[in-house]
Amino acid sequence: MVYVSRKEHFNAAHKLTNPAWSREKNLEIFGPCANENWHGHNYDLIVTVKGDPDPETGFVIDLKKLSTLIRTSVIDQVDHKNLNLDVPFMQGKMASTENLAMEIWKILAPGIAKLSSRSTLHSIRLFETPRNYVEYFGE
Amino acid sequence: MVYVSRKEHFNAAHKLTNPAWSREKNLEIFGPCANENWHGHNYDLIVTVKGDPDPETGFVIDLKKLSTLIRTSVIDQVDHKNLNLDVPFMQGKMASTENLAMEIWKILAPGIAKLSSRSTLHSIRLFETPRNYVEYFGE
Amino acid sequence: MVYVSRKEHFNAAHKLTNPAWSREKNLEIFGPCANENWHGHNYDLIVTVKGDPDPETGFVIDLKKLSTLIRTSVIDQVDHKNLNLDVPFMQGKMASTENLAMEIWKILAPGIAKLSSRSTLHSIRLFETPRNYVEYFGE
Amino acid sequence: MVYVSRKEHFNAAHKLTNPAWSREKNLEIFGPCANENWHGHNYDLIVTVKGDPDPETGFVIDLKKLSTLIRTSVIDQVDHKNLNLDVPFMQGKMASTENLAMEIWKILAPGIAKLSSRSTLHSIRLFETPRNYVEYFGE
Amino acid sequence: MVYVSRKEHFNAAHKLTNPAWSREKNLEIFGPCANENWHGHNYDLIVTVKGDPDPETGFVIDLKKLSTLIRTSVIDQVDHKNLNLDVPFMQGKMASTENLAMEIWKILAPGIAKLSSRSTLHSIRLFETPRNYVEYFGE
Amino acid sequence: MVYVSRKEHFNAAHKLTNPAWSREKNLEIFGPCANENWHGHNYDLIVTVKGDPDPETGFVIDLKKLSTLIRTSVIDQVDHKNLNLDVPFMQGKMASTENLAMEIWKILAPGIAKLSSRSTLHSIRLFETPRNYVEYFGE
């Protein structure tokens, strides 16, 4: 079993506000992350896949195909977008890095299974900034 | 003459749209950077000051004071903000990295002169992403 | 279960010497790390917390509160300090990165439990240099 | 149990071609990685060892000795070399990052056991580029 | 005048050998860089353009167009290639980072002039490794 | 004229105190940098040399020889040392990054001239932390 990782990135706007709360409570809980007119980040996304290398290629998974899958199924939906307003799979959810990582897992897990029978998604690591990041293992 | 640099960072939303142009022309020229609902970045700002070190301190400028100046006069105005809507000094200007760097120069140059008689602002380097950045030397 | 990480940093001096050994043996075992007059590092500290995101905030833990906890309970005790002479929790211990990481775990684990009932400390990752680092999971 | 990591690097040329396949099939599967005249990378290698710190030194393992072991048993065999032509332990294998990481494990595991009775090899992390890397845990 | 930079990267194989010299002299002068079967690098290329921002766009140069120009005129010729054997503009030259940077200047300077009448090429910065790099300003 | 740079690093302890001042004044001016028992840093040193590439080698300067010169004449004097107590060329000077960079210039400029008649020292860039650095051009 070898773990293979690919890093991609995207830029997006978001804000953190719970619509069930007053403006005051949102500012109290989320501070400047609740600023009404949005802010944004350069997100780094690391997708890790695990499996047994194919003896014919030496690959667990073809990283060019994995990169294409991440770009077409995730990056194209979030890059240069507003996570709260423009991204269907984030509707009705807080636009936190935690929730974003869990939704990206749901999108990529079946795509990776289809891409290669010998590999499965292991983790989603998502950096909101170089100092804040989350990791999700699917459970 | 020694050049001393300090790196700070901020997160902000923006979009690139020229209000004199049609929606179509804005999308043609700016591509996804013109997306109506904004996107954003983790900006890195490097401020370089030049001068002759003070023999009593060994410093061209006290970097803690320089950091405080950058934070109070620049970062507090842009961090977790929308560069187009929330930032007074960007009103009426395209929210490009070039324009942002030139405006930051205008703010910091007099503040640095006041902070230390032996140093002057040399350059503003501003990273929009790790792969795109601008530098401005005041002229 | 999502894993959330926050990176902080501090600068400190230290040396590696076992007081039970002769000067010669210390230099033989620790080499230049035993130099009598100290040396130092820019340490990077990554604290990882795990838990289930709160549906009301989307957060496993509020990263601003986690950052404040790390700064007040750890960074303030070690930053711009001498790990051998100035840091109470390192008294009587070798000032190795391994021991420092284990002591930081002991300080942070109860604080994080108090900060949020839905999260627990998962790991302490401590970089002494960009090429040397340790990780501790509490057992 | 503490996990201690050391990063080393090397530069090498390689190509990906399966000798059982036609030139066309190799180009179809491996794309530019199959270019006949080779290409190359700056590889980063992170070796992680786990164990219980020695109370006399505070170390799981002496990182200078670990660095020397990695250099003499791995780096000297691959640095400024052609992975397909010059490296005995890669003969008859696809020169993929996956296979390279697994072979490095086989070389280092017994050497680390000899170096220190209190530590064992935990993982080999190998970056082919800053965006593509693999990790192997020995099984 | 604002300076705008774009970073791209490519992977290539090369070796350093002067065909006028004996094998022994090549090894004496170039050491392992002269290894017969090549080695390689992940090169980082930073292209800096200077000019006056266009008031209608806020741009010195459209960075997407600059990126496309760099990729089509430089990266496509060197990426996953052998600098000594496969790259027409390096024929008859030592494959040093210095020479490569000067040749890239010759290719990009006229292309950038064509791309935008308000900007000119300022510098080529080329990293062979994170620790070795060159910069060329066209004269 | 091509500019060639080499990055090296060292770890050292220091403190900032002016012996002509009271303890109170030192703490007021230097803050925690004046802590009596020292603190320390991982310094990154970038040495830039300029010249015309030698047509026989393609080199402005042999980077292995430059690296050896930096190590033997600078790094060996400061690595794992106390800049205030152990380093002859810093005696009687404030141990600021500015002063350290200027002293390193004085050591390296003649050594580089001796190493290669076609190159001269252009600049010393010295990072005290990833966010604070100085640059010196010899005048």
Side-chain angles (χ1 to χ4, degrees):
Chain A
M1 185 78 83
V2 181
Y3 296 73
V4 180
S5 296
R6 171 74 191 168
K7 180 154 93 167
E8 302 286 344
H9 53 85
F10 59 93
N11 310 319
H14 79 147
K15 68 178 167 188
L16 294 172
T17 36
N18 185 329
W21 293 348
S22 69
R23 181 93 200 106
E24 288 66 35
K25 179 150 187 200
N26 272 302
L27 282 170
E28 182 203 323
I29 300 294
F30 296 117
C33 296
N35 275 351
E36 221 158 345
N37 289 325
W38 322 96
H39 63 284
H41 300 286
N42 303 326
Y43 289 90
D44 269 335
L45 168 64
I46 299 179
V47 175
T48 301
V49 162
K50 67 183 166 194
D52 195 37
D54 182 336
E56 288 202 305
T57 60
F59 287 168
V60 166
I61 194 167
D62 181 329
L63 279 179
K64 276 189 304 297
K65 286 186 186 163
L66 177 60
S67 172
T68 301
L69 175 72
I70 301 170
R71 290 180 192 220
T72 53
S73 62
V74 176
I75 304 298
D76 288 354
Q77 290 196 67
V78 291
D79 190 34
H80 285 81
K81 295 283 171 62
N82 183 307
L83 299 176
N84 302 63
L85 300 179
D86 298 334
V87 179
F89 65 75
M90 291 299 287
Q91 293 312 300
K93 297 187 185 68
M94 298 297 299
S96 70
T97 320
E98 286 91 331
N99 284 344
L100 190 52
M102 289 190 288
E103 294 304 314
I104 291 172
W105 174 283
K106 285 187 213 158
I107 293 168
L108 284 177
I112 285 163
K114 247 179 264 171
L115 203 61
S116 151
S117 62
R118 61 188 325 126
S119 63
T120 55
L121 181 56
H122 173 67
S123 70
I124 298 295
R125 184 178 284 203
L126 185 60
F127 286 78
E128 190 182 69
T129 72
R131 298 177 67 185
N132 291 347
Y133 64 89
V134 309
E135 195 162 21
Y136 183 59
F137 298 88
E139 51 188 23
Chain B
M1 184 77 83
V2 181
Y3 296 72
V4 179
S5 296
R6 172 71 191 168
K7 182 154 93 167
E8 300 287 344
H9 53 84
F10 60 93
N11 310 320
H14 80 147
K15 69 179 165 187
L16 293 171
T17 36
N18 185 328
W21 292 350
S22 67
R23 183 93 200 106
E24 287 67 36
K25 180 152 186 199
N26 272 302
L27 283 170
E28 182 202 324
I29 301 296
F30 295 116
C33 297
N35 276 349
E36 221 158 343
N37 290 323
W38 321 97
H39 64 284
H41 300 287
N42 303 327
Y43 289 89
D44 269 335
L45 169 64
I46 299 177
V47 176
T48 301
V49 162
K50 66 183 167 195
D52 196 36
D54 182 335
E56 287 202 307
T57 60
F59 287 168
V60 166
I61 194 166
D62 181 329
L63 280 178
K64 274 188 306 296
K65 286 186 187 163
L66 177 60
S67 171
T68 301
L69 175 71
I70 302 170
R71 290 180 194 222
T72 54
S73 62
V74 176
I75 305 298
D76 287 355
Q77 291 197 66
V78 291
D79 190 34
H80 285 83
K81 295 285 172 61
N82 183 308
L83 298 178
N84 303 63
L85 300 179
D86 298 334
V87 179
F89 65 75
M90 291 300 287
Q91 292 312 299
K93 296 187 186 68
M94 297 298 300
S96 70
T97 321
E98 287 91 330
N99 285 343
L100 190 51
M102 289 189 289
E103 294 304 314
I104 291 172
W105 174 282
K106 286 187 214 159
I107 294 168
L108 286 177
I112 286 164
K114 245 179 267 171
L115 203 60
S116 151
S117 63
R118 59 189 324 127
S119 62
T120 54
L121 180 56
H122 173 68
S123 71
I124 299 296
R125 185 178 282 204
L126 184 59
F127 286 78
E128 190 181 70
T129 72
R131 299 177 67 184
N132 292 346
Y133 65 90
V134 310
E135 196 162 19
Y136 182 60
F137 297 87
E139 49 188 26
Chain C
M1 186 75 85
V2 181
Y3 296 73
V4 180
S5 296
R6 171 73 190 168
K7 181 155 91 169
E8 302 287 345
H9 53 86
F10 60 93
N11 309 319
H14 78 148
K15 69 178 167 187
L16 294 171
T17 36
N18 186 327
W21 294 348
S22 69
R23 182 93 199 107
E24 288 66 36
K25 179 151 187 198
N26 273 303
L27 282 170
E28 180 202 324
I29 300 294
F30 296 117
C33 297
N35 276 350
E36 220 158 345
N37 290 325
W38 322 95
H39 64 284
H41 300 287
N42 303 326
Y43 290 88
D44 269 335
L45 169 63
I46 300 178
V47 175
T48 300
V49 162
K50 66 185 167 192
D52 195 36
D54 182 336
E56 287 202 308
T57 59
F59 286 168
V60 166
I61 194 167
D62 180 329
L63 280 179
K64 275 188 304 298
K65 286 186 188 164
L66 177 59
S67 170
T68 301
L69 174 71
I70 301 170
R71 290 181 194 221
T72 54
S73 62
V74 176
I75 305 296
D76 286 355
Q77 291 196 66
V78 291
D79 191 33
H80 285 83
K81 296 282 173 62
N82 183 308
L83 298 177
N84 302 63
L85 301 179
D86 299 333
V87 179
F89 65 76
M90 291 299 288
Q91 292 314 300
K93 296 186 187 68
M94 297 298 299
S96 70
T97 321
E98 287 90 331
N99 284 344
L100 190 51
M102 289 189 289
E103 293 304 312
I104 291 172
W105 174 284
K106 285 187 214 160
I107 294 167
L108 285 177
I112 285 164
K114 246 179 265 171
L115 203 62
S116 151
S117 63
R118 58 191 324 126
S119 63
T120 54
L121 180 57
H122 173 66
S123 69
I124 299 296
R125 185 179 284 203
L126 185 60
F127 286 77
E128 191 183 67
T129 73
R131 298 176 69 184
N132 292 348
Y133 65 89
V134 310
E135 195 162 21
Y136 182 60
F137 297 88
E139 52 188 24
Chain D
M1 185 77 83
V2 181
Y3 295 73
V4 179
S5 297
R6 171 73 191 168
K7 180 154 92 169
E8 301 288 345
H9 52 85
F10 60 93
N11 310 319
H14 79 147
K15 69 178 167 187
L16 295 171
T17 35
N18 185 328
W21 293 349
S22 68
R23 182 92 199 107
E24 287 66 36
K25 180 152 188 198
N26 273 302
L27 282 170
E28 182 202 324
I29 300 296
F30 295 116
C33 296
N35 275 349
E36 221 157 342
N37 290 324
W38 322 96
H39 64 284
H41 300 286
N42 303 326
Y43 290 88
D44 269 335
L45 169 63
I46 300 178
V47 175
T48 300
V49 162
K50 66 183 167 195
D52 197 35
D54 181 336
E56 289 203 306
T57 60
F59 287 168
V60 166
I61 193 167
D62 181 329
L63 279 178
K64 275 188 304 298
K65 285 186 187 164
L66 177 59
S67 171
T68 300
L69 174 72
I70 301 171
R71 290 179 193 221
T72 53
S73 61
V74 176
I75 304 297
D76 286 355
Q77 290 197 66
V78 290
D79 190 34
H80 285 81
K81 295 285 173 62
N82 183 307
L83 299 176
N84 302 63
L85 300 180
D86 298 335
V87 179
F89 65 75
M90 291 299 287
Q91 292 313 300
K93 296 188 186 67
M94 297 297 300
S96 70
T97 321
E98 287 91 331
N99 284 344
L100 191 50
M102 290 189 289
E103 294 304 313
I104 291 172
W105 174 285
K106 285 187 213 160
I107 294 168
L108 286 176
I112 286 164
K114 248 179 264 172
L115 203 60
S116 151
S117 63
R118 59 190 323 128
S119 63
T120 54
L121 179 57
H122 173 67
S123 70
I124 299 296
R125 184 178 283 203
L126 185 59
F127 286 78
E128 190 183 69
T129 72
R131 301 176 67 184
N132 291 346
Y133 65 89
V134 310
E135 195 162 22
Y136 182 60
F137 298 87
E139 51 187 26
Chain E
M1 185 78 82
V2 182
Y3 295 73
V4 180
S5 296
R6 171 73 190 168
K7 181 153 93 169
E8 301 287 343
H9 53 84
F10 60 92
N11 310 320
H14 80 147
K15 68 178 166 189
L16 294 171
T17 36
N18 185 328
W21 292 349
S22 68
R23 183 92 200 106
E24 287 66 36
K25 178 150 189 202
N26 273 301
L27 282 170
E28 181 203 322
I29 301 295
F30 296 116
C33 297
N35 275 350
E36 220 158 346
N37 290 324
W38 321 96
H39 64 284
H41 300 287
N42 303 326
Y43 289 89
D44 268 336
L45 169 63
I46 299 179
V47 176
T48 300
V49 162
K50 66 183 166 194
D52 196 36
D54 182 337
E56 288 202 306
T57 60
F59 287 167
V60 166
I61 195 167
D62 181 329
L63 279 178
K64 275 187 304 298
K65 285 185 187 162
L66 178 60
S67 170
T68 302
L69 175 71
I70 301 170
R71 290 181 193 220
T72 53
S73 62
V74 176
I75 305 298
D76 287 356
Q77 290 197 67
V78 292
D79 190 34
H80 285 82
K81 295 283 172 60
N82 183 307
L83 298 177
N84 302 62
L85 300 179
D86 297 334
V87 178
F89 65 75
M90 291 299 287
Q91 292 313 300
K93 297 187 185 68
M94 297 298 299
S96 70
T97 321
E98 287 90 330
N99 285 343
L100 190 52
M102 289 189 288
E103 294 303 314
I104 290 173
W105 174 283
K106 286 188 214 161
I107 294 168
L108 285 177
I112 285 164
K114 247 178 265 172
L115 203 61
S116 151
S117 62
R118 62 189 323 126
S119 62
T120 54
L121 180 56
H122 173 67
S123 71
I124 299 296
R125 185 177 283 203
L126 185 59
F127 286 77
E128 191 182 69
T129 72
R131 299 176 67 184
N132 292 346
Y133 65 89
V134 309
E135 195 161 20
Y136 181 60
F137 297 87
E139 51 189 23
Chain F
M1 185 76 85
V2 180
Y3 295 73
V4 179
S5 296
R6 172 72 191 169
K7 181 155 93 167
E8 301 288 343
H9 53 84
F10 59 93
N11 310 319
H14 79 148
K15 69 178 166 187
L16 294 171
T17 35
N18 185 328
W21 293 349
S22 69
R23 183 92 199 106
E24 289 65 36
K25 178 150 188 201
N26 273 303
L27 282 170
E28 182 203 322
I29 301 295
F30 296 117
C33 297
N35 276 350
E36 219 157 346
N37 289 324
W38 322 96
H39 64 284
H41 300 286
N42 304 326
Y43 289 89
D44 269 336
L45 169 64
I46 300 178
V47 176
T48 301
V49 163
K50 66 184 167 194
D52 195 37
D54 182 335
E56 287 202 308
T57 60
F59 287 168
V60 166
I61 194 166
D62 181 329
L63 280 178
K64 275 187 305 297
K65 286 186 187 162
L66 177 60
S67 170
T68 301
L69 175 71
I70 302 170
R71 290 179 193 222
T72 53
S73 61
V74 176
I75 304 298
D76 286 355
Q77 291 197 66
V78 291
D79 191 35
H80 285 81
K81 295 283 172 60
N82 184 307
L83 299 177
N84 303 61
L85 300 180
D86 298 333
V87 178
F89 65 76
M90 292 298 288
Q91 290 315 298
K93 298 188 184 66
M94 297 298 299
S96 70
T97 321
E98 287 90 331
N99 285 344
L100 190 51
M102 289 189 289
E103 294 304 313
I104 290 173
W105 174 283
K106 285 187 214 160
I107 294 168
L108 285 177
I112 286 164
K114 246 179 265 171
L115 203 60
S116 150
S117 62
R118 60 190 324 127
S119 63
T120 54
L121 180 56
H122 173 66
S123 70
I124 298 297
R125 186 178 282 203
L126 184 59
F127 286 77
E128 190 181 68
T129 73
R131 298 177 68 184
N132 291 348
Y133 65 89
V134 310
E135 195 162 20
Y136 182 59
F137 298 88
E139 50 188 26

